[in-house]
């Protein structure tokens, strides 16, 4: 029986693990959290079609809440863009689900398919032999152990120790640049006055000046606060956003009743190369989030299904990158390519000021249409981004940033049309170099 190691119980790894175990592979997930502590203390927005795509039964209705009624606001809080549902997804199929419930549901599904779990072990690094991945090194109660297998699926998140310790010659990027990451404070506070806004979910651009987004969701019994900044967030920034939110949300409690910690996610386009012999990246460890808003669960679950199909095909031939490339090719053509322009746009947003954002929203340059497209995975083309950015030209001081941002956008159609559909060392390396320029 072929032995598959899944490093980290990330969503994409679990999605792939269930399918592979069901197909008869010997699959084990190694996870540093325990079964009791796994998952975060908050809920996430995702959608029902992602489960269906990934061959995961839709969770029972009592585990989640349907519907999404939200709005976006400029820093001055003068313009409100109301959104319902997601791009191509009916509002009733947009759900919110507690992270701990979701991850435990996925683990239960994996167990029902025959996946094994080793909880409470820290992965230290990858294991390689002659430059090929052969397994992982873990620390189990302080004792180092080498775990070998036929293939490693890296689902250990943005700072995966597996990806970071890969040999250079595999050509896989080890670090995600700090400016392409998002650091987030998340906490629930008491809603002592049962204050509910309409919509109840508001996303504020550049709250208190620094590039990023804050959101506030009012529920009968709590106020859910997220404060996120591009790059790193400081305690002072958290305090200043909390102060501003408190002023606008009467009755918000002083101390968090849930959460109150920070976490990081990548806000970038997919990494240029996701596969090597006997190794593949999935989820945040592959940079699979929506670059503007950081949603990554749907993408990870769906990528896991594509990965499982490629791993099954590759098993006949020693899990070679030639077959695993099919995973990257299918993921990019179905999802990844639509997110590249958004990541360029996101970089531009990271360089503009609070005043610029007020200008974009007040002049309608950033409207429901763009937000809808950027929150999802379709519709933003290079031509569209260029047209929008040119419309921003009256803010002449933006010109240098604008030019820097759009400089390589015309390359995108070339990158999309030249991605090799089958592995060819020279063609792939040419494609990877071109993709890196975007
Ligand atoms: C505050 C916040 C809110 C978010 N909200 C949403 C949302 O509403 N909707 C949405 O779609 N996405 C959301 N995201 C993004 C989402 O969390 C990720 O995109 C998604 O989890 C995909 O990541 P992953 O599953 O690949 O990895 P992760 O969720 O990061 O999982 C990686 C796993 O690997 C384990 N691990 C890491 N290192 C080691 C190690 N050394 N040894 C062993 N195990 C290890 C971790 O414990 C973890 O279980 C949010 C993220 C944050 C931070």
């Amino acid at each position: 029986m072929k032995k598959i190691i899944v490093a980290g119980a990330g969503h994409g790894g679990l999605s792939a693990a269930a399918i592979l175990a069901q197909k008869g592979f010997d699959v084990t997930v190694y996870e540093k959290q325990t079964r009791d502590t796994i998952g975060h203390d908050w809920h996430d927005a995702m959608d029902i079609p992602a489960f269906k795509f990934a061959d995961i039964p839709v969770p029972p209705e009592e585990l989640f809440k349907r519907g999404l009624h939200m709005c976006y606001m400029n820093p001055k809080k003068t313009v409100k863009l109301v959104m319902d549902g997601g791009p191509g997804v009916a509002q009733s199929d947009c759900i919110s689900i507690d992270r701990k419930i979701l991850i435990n549901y996925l683990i239960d599904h994996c167990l029902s398919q025959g996946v094994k779990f080793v909880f409470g072990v820290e992965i230290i690094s990858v294991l390689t032999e002659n430059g090929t991945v052969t397994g992982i090194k873990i620390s189990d109660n302080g004792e180092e152990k080498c775990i070998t297998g036929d293939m490693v699926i890296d689902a250990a998140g943005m700072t995966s120790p597996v990806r970071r310790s890969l040999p250079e010659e595999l050509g896989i990027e080890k670090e995600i640049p700090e400016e392409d990451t998002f650091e987030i404070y998340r906490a629930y506070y008491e809603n002592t006055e049962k204050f509910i806004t309409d919509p109840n979910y508001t996303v504020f651009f550049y709250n208190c000046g620094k590039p990023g987004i804050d959101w506030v969701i009012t529920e009968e019994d709590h106020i859910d606060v997220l404060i996120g900044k591009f790059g790193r967030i400081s305690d002072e920034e958290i305090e200043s956003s909390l102060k501003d939110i408190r002023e606008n949300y009467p009755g918000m409690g002083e101390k968090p009743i849930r959460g109150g910690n920070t976490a990081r996610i990548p806000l970038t386009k997919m990494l240029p190369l996701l596969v090597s012999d006997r190794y593949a990246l999935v989820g945040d460890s592959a940079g699979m989030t929506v670059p503007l808003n950081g949603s990554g669960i749907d993408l990870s679950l769906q990528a896991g299904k594509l990965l499982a199909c490629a791993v099954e095909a590759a098993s006949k031939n020693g899990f070679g990158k030639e077959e695993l490339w099919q995973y990257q090719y299918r993921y990019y053509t179905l999802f990844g390519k639509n997110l590249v322009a958004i990541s360029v746009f996101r970089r531009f947003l990271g360089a503009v000021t609070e005043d610029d954002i007020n200008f974009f929203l007040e002049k309608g340059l950033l409207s429901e249409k763009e937000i809808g497209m950027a929150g999802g995975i379709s519709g933003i083309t290079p031509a569209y981004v260029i047209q929008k950015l040119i419309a921003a030209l009256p803010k002449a001081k933006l010109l240098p940033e604008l030019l820097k941002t759009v400089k390589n956008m015309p390359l995108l159609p070339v990158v999309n049309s030249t991605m090799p559909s089958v592995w060819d060392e020279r063609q792939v390396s040419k494609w990877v170099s071109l993709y890196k320029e975007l």
Side-chain angles (χ1 to χ4, degrees), residues 1-5 25-27 30 147-151:
M1 213 192 243
K2 301 286 188 198
K3 200 172 153 194
I4 311 290
I5 295 169
F25 290 83
D26 173 8
V27 186
Y30 294 85
I147 313 287
T148 54
D150 295 292
M151 158 102 206

Side-chain angles (χ1 to χ4, degrees), residues 8-12 30-33 38 42-46 99 121-123 155-158 161 184 186 215 226 263-265 282-285 288-289 294-298 300:
H11 302 84
Y30 294 85
E31 166 59 46
K32 73 174 170 194
Q33 301 291 331
I38 193 161
W42 63 62
H43 75 270
D44 292 297
M46 58 173 301
R99 176 70 68 103
V121 291
E122 173 101 27
I123 300 163
M158 187 182 98
I184 300 168
R186 182 90 182 259
W215 85 40
L226 175 147
R264 291 175 71 208
I265 38 174
V282 69
D284 277 7
S285 116
M288 286 177 181
T289 44
S295 299
I297 296 173
D298 292 343
S300 302

